[in-house]
Amino acid sequence: MADTQIVQMLVKGQNDISWFDANFNNLLSEYDEQFIAFKDKKVLDSDPRLNRLMEKLKEKNINVSDVFIEFVSKIKHIL
Amino acid sequence: MTSLVDRIPLQIVEGRLVLTSVIECKQLRIHRQVMRFILDTGSPNSYFSYKDVIKLQIPLAGKNPSGQTDFGGSRFDQIPLPKVTMYILKEGKQSKDYYTVNVSMSALRTTKTSQKNIKVAEQLPSILGIDFLKEQKFSLHLILTEDLAYLQYEG
């Protein structure tokens, strides 16, 4: 039997990724060249430096297990 | 016709194929974290990015690399990891269900020392390469004219 917590995390995760994609241009205008932490279709915090963002999340007692952290930039990397 | 229950949906985000998963690994003390992976058929191997190594708090200090790799214009040490359990959503008609797979991953550790170059290295995403598709017996299906992308189990 499927673990409902896992299913919920997966569905919410997909919804958050869809939100990120749909709102990328808006996020770019506000957070260009910054790392953003987002969950439940909301930006929780942001910072140009990843380690500072992690510190901010820790100070706010935010559990990062279901938070996405992505870098927002006009520049696309070729992988 | 292939049953929908066999499909694992991928999302197309900023022109890239994204697989959302929940991962866990007792040996690395990772307990159920949601993760986004880019499916990269140009990579033979699968990697946790330097950003996600930091987020997941994977300890890499003192670990010897198995080699080096160039990724996204940056050079990284490649640190082999214990297998990671990954839960990925299946597409079903009636209810949501998931596959459970055990995945071989390496961690990427930047070789850069300047803050500017470290920041570039931190921007890169975690990727699932060809090894993931082969090891888990998944085929990749893309119909970009319909904005459709999915994996299918072929085992």
Side-chain angles (χ1 to χ4, degrees):
Chain A
M1 188 171 134
D3 186 321
T4 51
Q5 186 205 29
I6 290 174
V7 172
Q8 279 169 7
M9 287 179 80
L10 287 168
V11 172
K12 283 174 94 177
Q14 283 194 341
N15 290 341
D16 274 341
I17 293 297
S18 295
W19 171 84
F20 177 76
D21 186 40
N23 290 279
F24 187 78
N25 288 334
N26 293 335
L27 293 169
L28 195 56
S29 63
E30 194 169 348
Y31 302 106
D32 190 24
E33 298 295 308
Q34 293 194 58
F35 290 94
I36 62 167
F38 61 94
K39 176 188 161 180
D40 294 335
K41 303 178 185 179
K42 281 186 298 194
V43 175
L44 303 174
D45 214 323
S46 65
D47 201 282
R49 293 301 316 276
L50 176 61
N51 55 358
R52 283 208 295 261
L53 175 59
M54 295 301 294
E55 281 165 16
K56 286 178 181 179
L57 296 175
K58 194 174 175 185
E59 281 166 18
K60 288 181 175 180
N61 286 320
I62 291 172
N63 179 358
V64 296
S65 65
D66 54 356
V67 170
F68 288 102
I69 294 175
E70 297 297 334
F71 186 74
V72 179
S73 170
K74 295 185 198 68
I75 299 169
K76 303 259 184 286
H77 290 280
I78 296 174
L79 301 180
Chain B
M1 185 175 144
T2 306
S3 164
L4 276 179
V5 80
D6 296 320
R7 292 187 182 183
I8 295 161
L10 300 172
Q11 293 168 282
I12 301 171
V13 177
E14 289 292 297
R16 295 202 165 114
L17 303 178
V18 172
L19 178 65
T20 302
S21 69
V22 169
I23 63 160
E24 62 184 3
C25 179
K26 282 187 183 142
Q27 287 167 275
L28 295 174
R29 296 184 185 171
I30 299 171
H31 177 67
R32 291 192 183 173
Q33 293 231 12
V34 72
M35 285 270 317
R36 174 184 100 131
F37 290 94
I38 304 296
L39 207 68
D40 182 4
T41 57
S43 175
N45 298 312
S46 301
Y47 301 105
F48 283 120
S49 68
Y50 187 56
K51 165 173 69 76
D52 286 327
V53 164
I54 291 170
K55 179 184 180 255
L56 295 168
Q57 297 180 287
I58 298 175
L60 298 185
K63 295 251 168 80
N64 291 325
S66 59
Q68 289 193 323
T69 193
D70 284 341
F71 175 49
S74 286
R75 180 153 289 182
F76 294 88
D77 285 334
Q78 203 172 304
I79 315 288
L81 296 175
K83 283 209 173 188
V84 172
T85 300
M86 191 181 286
Y87 305 104
I88 43 184
L89 205 61
K90 285 187 206 179
E91 202 164 61
K93 285 182 183 174
Q94 300 299 327
S95 63
K96 299 282 184 194
D97 198 359
Y98 54 86
Y99 280 110
T100 303
V101 295
N102 291 311
V103 183
S104 302
M105 303 282 301
S106 295
L108 293 180
R109 181 176 65 198
T110 183
T111 58
K112 305 295 181 190
T113 52
S114 77
Q115 289 302 319
K116 183 185 166 193
N117 288 332
I118 288 172
K119 185 173 175 179
V120 172
E122 287 173 342
Q123 295 168 20
L124 300 169
S126 293
I127 60 168
L128 296 172
I130 290 288
D131 62 333
F132 171 76
L133 297 177
K134 189 174 177 183
E135 199 176 72
Q136 308 306 331
K137 299 184 172 64
F138 288 135
S139 57
L140 171 62
H141 301 257
L142 292 177
I143 309 171
L144 296 175
T145 49
E146 294 179 21
D147 231 15
L148 183 63
Y150 60 92
L151 302 176
Q152 197 160 288
Y153 181 60
E154 304 289 348

